[in-house]
Amino acid sequence: MRPINGDHVNRAVAGLVAALRPAVDRDWENTGAGRLQWSCRKTAEHVASDLIAYAGQLAGRAQEAYVPFDIVLDEGTDNAGLLHVIETTGMLLATAVRTTPPGVRAFHPYPFRSADREGFAAMGVAEVLLHTHDIAEGLGLAHEPADDLAESVLTWLFPHVQPGPAPWPTLLWATGRGELPGRAPVTDWRWRNNLVIPTERLTLTGVRPAAARDLRLGGDGGLEWLEGGPYEGTREAAGFLVKAYEAGVHRPEFGVFTLVRHEDGRAIGGIGFHGAPDEEGRVEIGYDLLEGARGQGYATEAVRALTEWALAREDVDLVLATVEADNLPSQRVVTRAGFTRATVEELRTAREDHDVEGGLQLYVRRT
């Protein structure tokens, strides 16, 4: 898989310049930008400001807030000069994305207070594509980006949005800028960077739909894996994630996570939920670990961390784990992670009402 990267940022910016350069002699200051409350000029300045801000977050490794600086254009900068500024800030973001090591995250407020280099690249591309549309609409210019750019934004930042018949109209609809047949208009929206949950020795890294597709098809999901990885269970879970995404029912925080080891940055397994919590606040957890990483407590560490994260939420009251009766190592993992064997009544209910297979041992952990 080729993750979204600095080349995508450069292509998006080149598309903006190509679309808007024919109108540099127009009055951007007194022309509204599409459906926005801003003028075309203010919108273009906003693009430049966002691009340099995202570059600054990555370069400065900001963890608690935005790096406290902003961009100010020289007095008298015309529209052509502003496009040059956007080209420059776009290159700065592209360079920051290229030079930031894998796994590094910096502050971004929504929704989990951080983003990785792919997230910042995707946000930069989103800002450029969407605001090029706004400005072009205000100026009466034609603009439609390449499908792969729009699809990258959707699969990296909008995992909760069901894909539509084509990426660009879907992205416009998802951001309140257009309509899709059979779907209600969007009046409030946010993109979603992936969730990460750190532990002492691991980072549980949320898998995005783009990476899940690659894993399902036999790729590495953009990760460096320990020998033998990814395990088949991770690929199967990635396939379920893609199906949920395509059906429009994917809840990213209750999806699939890879276990990335701090000491060498390698992925050593997968963990995740079988779906979102049901109406009773029940959610089931599953995991796998590559053979070369077993026997060192990684699975217990990951199961404990993900379970405690889930139980801290208001919509989760009970976490379940099903283990084969002869899989004693896995039974020890969940026990060390705070789970207990289900009662006879709990097991009967799980089999009758929740399709838990016979022959499996049921373990539970409550709030």
Side-chain angles (χ1 to χ4, degrees), residues 10-360:
N10 286 338
R11 287 177 55 208
V13 170
L16 177 149
V17 173
L20 302 184
R21 191 183 297 281
V24 292
D25 293 332
R26 303 267 298 275
D27 182 3
W28 291 14
E29 187 65 52
N30 294 299
T31 303
R35 305 185 187 193
L36 303 183
Q37 299 299 313
W38 295 340
S39 69
C40 291
R41 173 77 181 197
K42 180 176 177 60
T43 303
E45 292 175 352
H46 171 79
V47 172
S49 180
D50 273 349
L51 292 173
I52 192 64
Y54 293 160
Q57 292 303 96
L58 281 177
R61 306 293 195 265
Q63 296 300 307
E64 300 297 332
Y66 279 106
V67 178
F69 77 102
D70 202 353
I71 187 171
V72 177
L73 274 62
D74 288 346
E75 186 175 352
T77 299
D78 60 12
N79 293 334
L82 177 51
L83 289 184
H84 191 195
V85 172
I86 293 174
E87 288 180 300
T88 303
T89 54
M91 183 60 71
L92 289 172
L93 174 58
T95 301
V97 170
R98 294 187 184 109
T99 57
T100 298
V104 169
R105 298 184 74 88
F107 174 81
H108 187 274
Y110 191 82
F112 303 116
R113 297 186 64 79
S114 73
D116 56 13
R117 61 184 186 181
E118 291 83 7
F120 279 106
M123 289 188 290
V125 172
E127 293 284 354
V128 172
L129 296 188
L130 294 170
H131 289 316
T132 302
H133 168 81
D134 297 331
I135 298 169
E137 188 173 56
L139 294 171
L141 302 173
H143 166 67
E144 183 170 339
D147 276 351
D148 69 302
L149 287 177
E151 185 175 23
S152 291
V153 172
L154 287 168
T155 55
W156 288 89
L157 290 181
F158 292 84
H160 54 296
V161 171
Q162 183 179 17
W168 179 233
T170 303
L171 182 58
L172 291 177
W173 169 81
T175 57
R177 290 172 167 84
E179 299 178 354
L180 278 185
R183 301 198 194 184
V186 173
T187 58
D188 186 31
W189 62 273
R190 291 277 191 174
W191 55 49
R192 300 179 69 88
N193 281 293
N194 64 331
L195 172 66
V196 296
I197 301 173
T199 73
E200 181 181 354
R201 298 177 295 165
L202 303 168
T203 298
L204 279 54
T205 304
V207 175
R208 299 166 167 108
R213 283 176 176 169
D214 187 63
L215 287 168
R216 181 189 62 174
L217 296 173
D220 58 16
L223 295 165
E224 181 180 357
W225 288 83
L226 194 66
E227 184 179 356
Y231 194 68
E232 189 57 36
T234 298
R235 295 197 187 280
E236 184 178 3
F240 289 131
L241 187 159
V242 172
K243 289 181 180 178
Y245 169 64
E246 292 175 345
V249 297
H250 178 46
R251 291 270 302 276
E253 64 271 37
F254 287 103
V256 180
F257 299 77
T258 53
L259 279 56
V260 180
R261 195 161 58 184
H262 292 167
E263 67 179 48
D264 57 7
R266 291 189 173 188
I268 60 172
I271 192 169
F273 301 98
H274 291 193
D278 62 20
E279 64 278 0
E280 300 173 27
R282 299 159 43 103
V283 67
E284 185 175 349
I285 195 171
Y287 60 93
D288 62 41
L289 200 66
L290 294 171
E291 291 186 10
R294 294 175 185 173
Q296 301 173 59
Y298 289 126
T300 299
E301 189 173 325
V303 170
R304 181 184 295 118
L306 191 58
T307 300
E308 291 177 351
W309 174 87
L311 291 174
R313 295 174 57 95
E314 293 183 356
D315 54 353
V316 177
D317 296 318
L318 180 70
V319 180
L320 309 176
T322 54
V323 184
E324 295 177 355
D326 59 352
N327 191 342
L328 298 181
S330 191
Q331 292 177 33
R332 287 193 288 269
V333 165
V334 294
T335 299
R336 287 194 294 264
F339 286 72
T340 58
R341 281 283 296 273
T343 65
V344 173
E345 180 62 23
E346 287 173 330
L347 182 56
R348 182 191 65 79
T349 301
R351 288 176 177 169
E352 292 180 357
D353 299 343
H354 301 282
D355 299 322
V356 172
E357 296 180 17
L360 293 177

